Amino acid sequence: MLDILQQDIKFVPGVGPHRKDILEKELGVKTFGDLLEYYPYKYVDRSHIYSISDLSGEMPYVQLKGNILSFEEFDMGPRKKRIVAHFTDGSGIVDLVWFARAQQLTKGLRVDTEYIVFGKPSIYGGRYQFAHPEIEKASELTLSDMGMQPYYSTTEKMKKMGMTSRTIERITKSLLERLTTPLPETLPAFITNRLRLVSRDTAFRHVHYPKTADEMSHARQRLKFEELFYVQLNILRYASDQRRKYRGYVFSRVGDLFNTFYRDYLPFPLTGAQKRVIREIRTDMGSGRQMNRLLQGDVGSGKTLVALMSMLIALDNGYQACIMAPTEILAEQHLATIREFLKDMPIRVELLTGIVKGKKRREVLQGIADGSVQILVGTHAVIEDTVQFLHLGFVVVDEQHRFGVAQRAKLWGKSANPPHVLVMTATPIPRTLAMTIYGDLDVSVIDELPPGRKPVVTIHKYDNQMTSLYQGIRQQIHQGRQVYIVFPLIQESEKIDLKNLEDGFAALREVFPEFRMSKVHGKMKPADKEEEMQRFVSGETQILVATTVIEVGVNVPNASVMVILDAQRFGLSQLHQLRGRVGRGADQSYCILVSKYELSSDTRRRLDIMCDTNDGFQIAEADLKLRGPGDLEGTQQSGMAFDLKIADIARDGQLVQLARDEAQRIIDDDPECRKTEYQMLWNRLAALRKTNINWGAIS
């Protein structure tokens, strides 16, 4: 029976070669199984038939039963017509109206036939009308059609070819009627019984054709659990294999370098969260197993200091350490930060990026090979074949979603044993998402800001309130502070946005003739950009007008105001990253979100969330709920490589945890995947891995 689900979609009654091509090109549906997994996105209860006399303009979708009295046609321009059918059920009259493809859609409708009409009522000219309603002969609708009607997403191209949600519904129905024997199970009875999940066969039938909301809910619960369970089983099996396969270097001592730094060079006392994370890392490094740990922490929470102290433990045990950053600017900033932290300690720290050339590059490569370079800071230049470490024991990967899996894996080849790996991100990741994207990593969180930091005050203003905003900026600059003003830059309209930035810069110079200003955007030459940034960092200019290039890698403690223009065009995580550029000193800082007045409810909610909280994890949770996991910055690049068809990580957090617990129980009991009672699971996992879905986990 599993083979039947691999059969070509063209063999489903009602499909054929032409529709097969459309389904494959538009929806990626090629087989029986693909069609069963093309789930409805909503359901409408069609169990009730209303009377026209009961209608009100506030009603959602309703169903009427009656006859067409007559038709009228109205010309709407060349080859366009509006067709109106006057419809009655004996208690009143409504108008059924068609605009687009009117003649095609009304072809075959008759005045002497009883129809079921389904649509949303509105009032026009004092009469109820239904625009583009669904209409079918009453004699052709069975009782099952009158229950929970599924709705399927379709594309514009499909609609033009007459393939609507109703078409997919009918095709799916004919497939289910053809599958006369129950579909085989993919979960063992000990799981389905304990969790009270319906069978797979029942789930597929009820997810497409539920008679009640309860049936639909139980079907979706079963299918969501299965999807999430196999994702978690795959991740945990992979992590278990790695742990058994690879021994880690044992860093048993905390020696002079770490202790000297802690005693004499620590710039400020560690927060409780930093101490906790360092303890977790120390435990990993002394355990004999290779560490793979994700360190999450908001901008400014002190991740780099934790990474440096962890690297010092590696150095104390006779090994080299390396930190890999996604951009040259960020790598240079890490170098400056680490050298500043270490001051005159006897540790050689070097940079390796594309701009390190000639004699200097040869010296750095020689130092890496002979072990005299103890800490290397670089971009992906670090993983080139010419880079050979003497004893690489510890690797820090910063903003890891910018690196591909293959790039990170190359670091493992730089050492006899795989080095300990600490992955850092300033993009807070909700727990359920971290469990899924980074499921094979242990997670540490720095959830405290260093002492003396005040939370940034965030205010939402409309673009008709600029005069008072300019006054506030003046006051801050007169107090010796500096200000960022950010313009949006969206890729598709780069030229227009660049013009907006140039025009905006000229306008701001007229508003603030008494202040010096810098301007930075992504199209500038790196040297010019660096020069303008340095003018702002040194305090030579008071205002930096920029695009989002300042989102990462800029640290100006004296900057206390971040103004984000057209804030409605930014995502939550991007707004939060930009806000993280201020509040880095001891002074009170402000983030001003400026938007137009007309906003969608989602956008307004986004800006309200920014004003209500500085907690990156709350913001990430909200972002996940508003936008879904596929849109979150980083998740696409980071290898969120499975295609969830029905589960939703944002809304199914409890199911993610349940699936993980079940998967963990099985891995603990059968780490080598050999026990007969779990063979169904291992076989199913192997089959899923052979599909075109990339189930690879992040390492």
mmCIF file of all heavy atoms in Angstrom, residues 311-348:
data_model
loop_
_atom_site.group_PDB
_atom_site.id
_atom_site.type_symbol
_atom_site.label_atom_id
_atom_site.label_comp_id
_atom_site.label_asym_id
_atom_site.label_seq_id
_atom_site.Cartn_x
_atom_site.Cartn_y
_atom_site.Cartn_z
ATOM 1 N N MET A 311 37.724 30.348 25.430
ATOM 2 C CA MET A 311 38.914 30.131 24.600
ATOM 3 C C MET A 311 40.174 30.065 25.470
ATOM 4 O O MET A 311 41.094 29.303 25.185
ATOM 5 C CB MET A 311 39.042 31.241 23.544
ATOM 6 C CG MET A 311 37.997 31.140 22.435
ATOM 7 S SD MET A 311 38.358 32.203 21.010
ATOM 8 C CE MET A 311 37.642 33.744 21.517
ATOM 9 N N LEU A 312 40.186 30.871 26.550
ATOM 10 C CA LEU A 312 41.360 30.861 27.435
ATOM 11 C C LEU A 312 41.541 29.500 28.106
ATOM 12 O O LEU A 312 42.669 29.071 28.360
ATOM 13 C CB LEU A 312 41.234 31.969 28.494
ATOM 14 C CG LEU A 312 41.319 33.412 27.956
ATOM 15 C CD1 LEU A 312 41.137 34.415 29.085
ATOM 16 C CD2 LEU A 312 42.639 33.662 27.225
ATOM 17 N N ILE A 313 40.429 28.808 28.399
ATOM 18 C CA ILE A 313 40.527 27.444 28.964
ATOM 19 C C ILE A 313 41.227 26.522 27.956
ATOM 20 O O ILE A 313 42.084 25.709 28.323
ATOM 21 C CB ILE A 313 39.127 26.907 29.341
ATOM 22 C CG1 ILE A 313 38.515 27.754 30.463
ATOM 23 C CG2 ILE A 313 39.206 25.437 29.776
ATOM 24 C CD1 ILE A 313 37.067 27.399 30.808
ATOM 25 N N ALA A 314 40.858 26.667 26.658
ATOM 26 C CA ALA A 314 41.511 25.855 25.616
ATOM 27 C C ALA A 314 43.006 26.161 25.583
ATOM 28 O O ALA A 314 43.850 25.250 25.504
ATOM 29 C CB ALA A 314 40.867 26.126 24.259
ATOM 30 N N LEU A 315 43.361 27.464 25.660
ATOM 31 C CA LEU A 315 44.773 27.862 25.622
ATOM 32 C C LEU A 315 45.527 27.297 26.830
ATOM 33 O O LEU A 315 46.666 26.820 26.701
ATOM 34 C CB LEU A 315 44.887 29.395 25.606
ATOM 35 C CG LEU A 315 44.961 30.075 24.225
ATOM 36 C CD1 LEU A 315 43.755 29.728 23.354
ATOM 37 C CD2 LEU A 315 45.072 31.590 24.381
ATOM 38 N N ASP A 316 44.882 27.326 28.006
ATOM 39 C CA ASP A 316 45.516 26.782 29.218
ATOM 40 C C ASP A 316 45.815 25.289 29.088
ATOM 41 O O ASP A 316 46.691 24.761 29.786
ATOM 42 C CB ASP A 316 44.596 27.003 30.434
ATOM 43 C CG ASP A 316 44.807 28.374 31.080
ATOM 44 O OD1 ASP A 316 45.920 28.919 30.953
ATOM 45 O OD2 ASP A 316 43.863 28.899 31.688
ATOM 46 N N ASN A 317 45.077 24.599 28.225
ATOM 47 C CA ASN A 317 45.281 23.155 28.037
ATOM 48 C C ASN A 317 46.158 22.849 26.823
ATOM 49 O O ASN A 317 46.221 21.710 26.359
ATOM 50 C CB ASN A 317 43.927 22.449 27.923
ATOM 51 C CG ASN A 317 43.241 22.310 29.279
ATOM 52 O OD1 ASN A 317 43.457 21.343 29.995
ATOM 53 N ND2 ASN A 317 42.443 23.302 29.650
ATOM 54 N N GLY A 318 46.800 23.909 26.275
ATOM 55 C CA GLY A 318 47.768 23.698 25.195
ATOM 56 C C GLY A 318 47.168 23.667 23.800
ATOM 57 O O GLY A 318 47.809 23.185 22.861
ATOM 58 N N TYR A 319 45.946 24.183 23.632
ATOM 59 C CA TYR A 319 45.286 24.153 22.316
ATOM 60 C C TYR A 319 45.059 25.569 21.784
ATOM 61 O O TYR A 319 45.053 26.544 22.543
ATOM 62 C CB TYR A 319 43.951 23.414 22.416
ATOM 63 C CG TYR A 319 44.128 21.921 22.585
ATOM 64 C CD1 TYR A 319 44.303 21.362 23.852
ATOM 65 C CD2 TYR A 319 44.158 21.072 21.482
ATOM 66 C CE1 TYR A 319 44.487 19.999 24.018
ATOM 67 C CE2 TYR A 319 44.344 19.701 21.634
ATOM 68 C CZ TYR A 319 44.509 19.170 22.899
ATOM 69 O OH TYR A 319 44.704 17.828 23.048
ATOM 70 N N GLN A 320 44.835 25.640 20.478
ATOM 71 C CA GLN A 320 44.507 26.922 19.841
ATOM 72 C C GLN A 320 42.989 27.098 19.783
ATOM 73 O O GLN A 320 42.233 26.124 19.849
ATOM 74 C CB GLN A 320 45.061 26.952 18.409
ATOM 75 C CG GLN A 320 46.578 26.936 18.332
ATOM 76 C CD GLN A 320 47.038 26.538 16.927
ATOM 77 O OE1 GLN A 320 46.909 25.384 16.530
ATOM 78 N NE2 GLN A 320 47.581 27.499 16.182
ATOM 79 N N ALA A 321 42.569 28.361 19.641
ATOM 80 C CA ALA A 321 41.139 28.675 19.513
ATOM 81 C C ALA A 321 40.935 29.589 18.313
ATOM 82 O O ALA A 321 41.871 30.260 17.859
ATOM 83 C CB ALA A 321 40.627 29.344 20.782
ATOM 84 N N CYS A 322 39.711 29.565 17.823
ATOM 85 C CA CYS A 322 39.422 30.334 16.614
ATOM 86 C C CYS A 322 38.000 30.875 16.720
ATOM 87 O O CYS A 322 37.113 30.198 17.245
ATOM 88 C CB CYS A 322 39.597 29.390 15.430
ATOM 89 S SG CYS A 322 38.616 29.744 14.011
ATOM 90 N N ILE A 323 37.785 32.098 16.246
ATOM 91 C CA ILE A 323 36.425 32.654 16.187
ATOM 92 C C ILE A 323 36.135 33.064 14.752
ATOM 93 O O ILE A 323 36.935 33.754 14.121
ATOM 94 C CB ILE A 323 36.237 33.829 17.180
ATOM 95 C CG1 ILE A 323 34.807 34.371 17.108
ATOM 96 C CG2 ILE A 323 37.250 34.935 16.979
ATOM 97 C CD1 ILE A 323 34.424 35.254 18.290
ATOM 98 N N MET A 324 35.018 32.577 14.216
ATOM 99 C CA MET A 324 34.672 32.810 12.813
ATOM 100 C C MET A 324 33.433 33.700 12.745
ATOM 101 O O MET A 324 32.393 33.370 13.323
ATOM 102 C CB MET A 324 34.404 31.459 12.132
ATOM 103 C CG MET A 324 34.312 31.553 10.633
ATOM 104 S SD MET A 324 34.551 29.942 9.817
ATOM 105 C CE MET A 324 32.959 29.191 9.994
ATOM 106 N N ALA A 325 33.549 34.840 12.065
ATOM 107 C CA ALA A 325 32.444 35.804 11.944
ATOM 108 C C ALA A 325 32.004 35.896 10.485
ATOM 109 O O ALA A 325 32.781 35.610 9.579
ATOM 110 C CB ALA A 325 32.905 37.168 12.450
ATOM 111 N N PRO A 326 30.752 36.308 10.236
ATOM 112 C CA PRO A 326 30.239 36.273 8.859
ATOM 113 C C PRO A 326 30.739 37.401 7.956
ATOM 114 O O PRO A 326 30.700 37.282 6.749
ATOM 115 C CB PRO A 326 28.719 36.374 9.044
ATOM 116 C CG PRO A 326 28.533 37.020 10.371
ATOM 117 C CD PRO A 326 29.703 36.627 11.207
ATOM 118 N N THR A 327 31.201 38.517 8.538
ATOM 119 C CA THR A 327 31.649 39.643 7.694
ATOM 120 C C THR A 327 32.997 40.153 8.197
ATOM 121 O O THR A 327 33.369 39.951 9.354
ATOM 122 C CB THR A 327 30.651 40.827 7.752
ATOM 123 O OG1 THR A 327 30.624 41.338 9.094
ATOM 124 C CG2 THR A 327 29.250 40.396 7.341
ATOM 125 N N GLU A 328 33.700 40.864 7.301
ATOM 126 C CA GLU A 328 35.006 41.413 7.678
ATOM 127 C C GLU A 328 34.858 42.457 8.776
ATOM 128 O O GLU A 328 35.672 42.513 9.706
ATOM 129 C CB GLU A 328 35.699 42.009 6.444
ATOM 130 C CG GLU A 328 36.163 40.923 5.480
ATOM 131 C CD GLU A 328 36.969 41.447 4.307
ATOM 132 O OE1 GLU A 328 37.023 42.692 4.133
ATOM 133 O OE2 GLU A 328 37.546 40.624 3.574
ATOM 134 N N ILE A 329 33.813 43.296 8.689
ATOM 135 C CA ILE A 329 33.594 44.331 9.719
ATOM 136 C C ILE A 329 33.437 43.684 11.086
ATOM 137 O O ILE A 329 34.029 44.117 12.072
ATOM 138 C CB ILE A 329 32.331 45.187 9.392
ATOM 139 C CG1 ILE A 329 32.620 46.130 8.234
ATOM 140 C CG2 ILE A 329 31.875 45.974 10.602
ATOM 141 C CD1 ILE A 329 31.456 47.043 7.852
ATOM 142 N N LEU A 330 32.626 42.610 11.147
ATOM 143 C CA LEU A 330 32.378 41.947 12.428
ATOM 144 C C LEU A 330 33.645 41.248 12.937
ATOM 145 O O LEU A 330 33.940 41.266 14.136
ATOM 146 C CB LEU A 330 31.235 40.934 12.276
ATOM 147 C CG LEU A 330 30.364 40.676 13.513
ATOM 148 C CD1 LEU A 330 29.898 41.954 14.161
ATOM 149 C CD2 LEU A 330 29.165 39.817 13.141
ATOM 150 N N ALA A 331 34.409 40.654 12.014
ATOM 151 C CA ALA A 331 35.663 39.994 12.407
ATOM 152 C C ALA A 331 36.629 41.031 12.987
ATOM 153 O O ALA A 331 37.259 40.797 14.033
ATOM 154 C CB ALA A 331 36.288 39.296 11.203
ATOM 155 N N GLU A 332 36.732 42.188 12.329
ATOM 156 C CA GLU A 332 37.638 43.237 12.818
ATOM 157 C C GLU A 332 37.182 43.750 14.180
ATOM 158 O O GLU A 332 38.003 44.055 15.051
ATOM 159 C CB GLU A 332 37.708 44.381 11.799
ATOM 160 C CG GLU A 332 38.534 44.017 10.570
ATOM 161 C CD GLU A 332 38.377 45.035 9.448
ATOM 162 O OE1 GLU A 332 37.960 46.173 9.728
ATOM 163 O OE2 GLU A 332 38.671 44.672 8.295
ATOM 164 N N GLN A 333 35.867 43.851 14.363
ATOM 165 C CA GLN A 333 35.355 44.307 15.660
ATOM 166 C C GLN A 333 35.686 43.288 16.759
ATOM 167 O O GLN A 333 36.083 43.661 17.864
ATOM 168 C CB GLN A 333 33.846 44.529 15.596
ATOM 169 C CG GLN A 333 33.323 45.184 16.863
ATOM 170 C CD GLN A 333 31.837 45.461 16.780
ATOM 171 O OE1 GLN A 333 31.351 45.942 15.764
ATOM 172 N NE2 GLN A 333 31.118 45.158 17.841
ATOM 173 N N HIS A 334 35.536 41.987 16.448
ATOM 174 C CA HIS A 334 35.903 40.946 17.416
ATOM 175 C C HIS A 334 37.392 41.037 17.770
ATOM 176 O O HIS A 334 37.771 40.898 18.938
ATOM 177 C CB HIS A 334 35.599 39.550 16.859
ATOM 178 C CG HIS A 334 34.169 39.130 17.027
ATOM 179 N ND1 HIS A 334 33.494 39.253 18.219
ATOM 180 C CD2 HIS A 334 33.285 38.575 16.157
ATOM 181 C CE1 HIS A 334 32.263 38.805 18.078
ATOM 182 N NE2 HIS A 334 32.103 38.384 16.834
ATOM 183 N N LEU A 335 38.233 41.252 16.749
ATOM 184 C CA LEU A 335 39.674 41.363 16.984
ATOM 185 C C LEU A 335 39.969 42.514 17.945
ATOM 186 O O LEU A 335 40.697 42.357 18.932
ATOM 187 C CB LEU A 335 40.416 41.574 15.654
ATOM 188 C CG LEU A 335 41.942 41.712 15.780
ATOM 189 C CD1 LEU A 335 42.581 40.347 15.985
ATOM 190 C CD2 LEU A 335 42.538 42.402 14.557
ATOM 191 N N ALA A 336 39.370 43.697 17.646
ATOM 192 C CA ALA A 336 39.609 44.883 18.489
ATOM 193 C C ALA A 336 39.116 44.631 19.915
ATOM 194 O O ALA A 336 39.801 44.972 20.891
ATOM 195 C CB ALA A 336 38.903 46.092 17.878
ATOM 196 N N THR A 337 37.940 44.005 20.042
ATOM 197 C CA THR A 337 37.358 43.739 21.367
ATOM 198 C C THR A 337 38.249 42.788 22.165
ATOM 199 O O THR A 337 38.545 43.022 23.342
ATOM 200 C CB THR A 337 35.945 43.126 21.215
ATOM 201 O OG1 THR A 337 35.141 44.010 20.446
ATOM 202 C CG2 THR A 337 35.285 42.903 22.561
ATOM 203 N N ILE A 338 38.690 41.690 21.516
ATOM 204 C CA ILE A 338 39.503 40.682 22.215
ATOM 205 C C ILE A 338 40.857 41.269 22.626
ATOM 206 O O ILE A 338 41.328 41.071 23.749
ATOM 207 C CB ILE A 338 39.664 39.421 21.329
ATOM 208 C CG1 ILE A 338 38.327 38.667 21.265
ATOM 209 C CG2 ILE A 338 40.766 38.514 21.861
ATOM 210 C CD1 ILE A 338 38.274 37.567 20.234
ATOM 211 N N ARG A 339 41.477 42.036 21.713
ATOM 212 C CA ARG A 339 42.775 42.649 22.051
ATOM 213 C C ARG A 339 42.622 43.653 23.196
ATOM 214 O O ARG A 339 43.492 43.758 24.069
ATOM 215 C CB ARG A 339 43.379 43.315 20.812
ATOM 216 C CG ARG A 339 44.015 42.293 19.872
ATOM 217 C CD ARG A 339 44.682 42.952 18.687
ATOM 218 N NE ARG A 339 45.485 41.981 17.934
ATOM 219 C CZ ARG A 339 45.925 42.183 16.702
ATOM 220 N NH1 ARG A 339 45.651 43.327 16.078
ATOM 221 N NH2 ARG A 339 46.647 41.267 16.088
ATOM 222 N N GLU A 340 41.512 44.386 23.195
ATOM 223 C CA GLU A 340 41.254 45.346 24.279
ATOM 224 C C GLU A 340 41.062 44.607 25.604
ATOM 225 O O GLU A 340 41.591 45.007 26.645
ATOM 226 C CB GLU A 340 40.010 46.182 23.922
ATOM 227 C CG GLU A 340 39.524 47.137 25.006
ATOM 228 C CD GLU A 340 40.559 48.205 25.387
ATOM 229 O OE1 GLU A 340 41.425 48.543 24.554
ATOM 230 O OE2 GLU A 340 40.490 48.688 26.531
ATOM 231 N N PHE A 341 40.306 43.506 25.576
ATOM 232 C CA PHE A 341 40.091 42.698 26.789
ATOM 233 C C PHE A 341 41.431 42.174 27.332
ATOM 234 O O PHE A 341 41.699 42.229 28.533
ATOM 235 C CB PHE A 341 39.191 41.496 26.492
ATOM 236 C CG PHE A 341 37.713 41.789 26.542
ATOM 237 C CD1 PHE A 341 36.833 41.146 25.672
ATOM 238 C CD2 PHE A 341 37.181 42.677 27.470
ATOM 239 C CE1 PHE A 341 35.463 41.388 25.715
ATOM 240 C CE2 PHE A 341 35.810 42.926 27.526
ATOM 241 C CZ PHE A 341 34.950 42.285 26.652
ATOM 242 N N LEU A 342 42.271 41.632 26.424
ATOM 243 C CA LEU A 342 43.501 40.956 26.859
ATOM 244 C C LEU A 342 44.623 41.933 27.196
ATOM 245 O O LEU A 342 45.604 41.547 27.851
ATOM 246 C CB LEU A 342 43.970 39.974 25.776
ATOM 247 C CG LEU A 342 43.026 38.798 25.495
ATOM 248 C CD1 LEU A 342 43.551 37.965 24.334
ATOM 249 C CD2 LEU A 342 42.852 37.921 26.729
ATOM 250 N N LYS A 343 44.486 43.189 26.712
ATOM 251 C CA LYS A 343 45.480 44.239 26.934
ATOM 252 C C LYS A 343 46.896 43.703 26.679
ATOM 253 O O LYS A 343 47.216 43.296 25.578
ATOM 254 C CB LYS A 343 45.327 44.820 28.336
ATOM 255 C CG LYS A 343 43.943 45.464 28.553
ATOM 256 C CD LYS A 343 44.046 46.753 29.316
ATOM 257 C CE LYS A 343 42.752 47.532 29.330
ATOM 258 N NZ LYS A 343 41.586 46.827 29.840
ATOM 259 N N ASP A 344 47.746 43.659 27.727
ATOM 260 C CA ASP A 344 49.134 43.224 27.469
ATOM 261 C C ASP A 344 49.409 41.812 27.964
ATOM 262 O O ASP A 344 50.543 41.457 28.308
ATOM 263 C CB ASP A 344 50.130 44.216 28.100
ATOM 264 C CG ASP A 344 49.796 44.505 29.565
ATOM 265 O OD1 ASP A 344 48.849 43.880 30.089
ATOM 266 O OD2 ASP A 344 50.467 45.362 30.169
ATOM 267 N N MET A 345 48.361 40.956 27.993
ATOM 268 C CA MET A 345 48.602 39.548 28.329
ATOM 269 C C MET A 345 49.412 38.888 27.207
ATOM 270 O O MET A 345 49.261 39.252 26.039
ATOM 271 C CB MET A 345 47.269 38.807 28.522
ATOM 272 C CG MET A 345 46.611 39.097 29.863
ATOM 273 S SD MET A 345 45.088 38.125 30.107
ATOM 274 C CE MET A 345 45.746 36.472 30.359
ATOM 275 N N PRO A 346 50.257 37.907 27.528
ATOM 276 C CA PRO A 346 51.146 37.313 26.511
ATOM 277 C C PRO A 346 50.415 36.305 25.619
ATOM 278 O O PRO A 346 50.699 35.102 25.626
ATOM 279 C CB PRO A 346 52.219 36.616 27.371
ATOM 280 C CG PRO A 346 51.478 36.228 28.619
ATOM 281 C CD PRO A 346 50.460 37.303 28.858
ATOM 282 N N ILE A 347 49.441 36.805 24.856
ATOM 283 C CA ILE A 347 48.647 35.931 23.976
ATOM 284 C C ILE A 347 48.673 36.532 22.576
ATOM 285 O O ILE A 347 48.371 37.720 22.402
ATOM 286 C CB ILE A 347 47.183 35.821 24.487
ATOM 287 C CG1 ILE A 347 47.137 35.138 25.861
ATOM 288 C CG2 ILE A 347 46.315 35.059 23.480
ATOM 289 C CD1 ILE A 347 45.765 35.160 26.530
ATOM 290 N N ARG A 348 49.026 35.714 21.595
ATOM 291 C CA ARG A 348 49.064 36.216 20.213
ATOM 292 C C ARG A 348 47.702 36.001 19.554
ATOM 293 O O ARG A 348 47.244 34.876 19.393
ATOM 294 C CB ARG A 348 50.163 35.507 19.419
ATOM 295 C CG ARG A 348 50.324 36.096 18.013
ATOM 296 C CD ARG A 348 51.433 35.424 17.233
ATOM 297 N NE ARG A 348 51.450 35.877 15.850
ATOM 298 C CZ ARG A 348 52.167 35.314 14.880
ATOM 299 N NH1 ARG A 348 52.962 34.279 15.163
ATOM 300 N NH2 ARG A 348 52.113 35.771 13.636
#
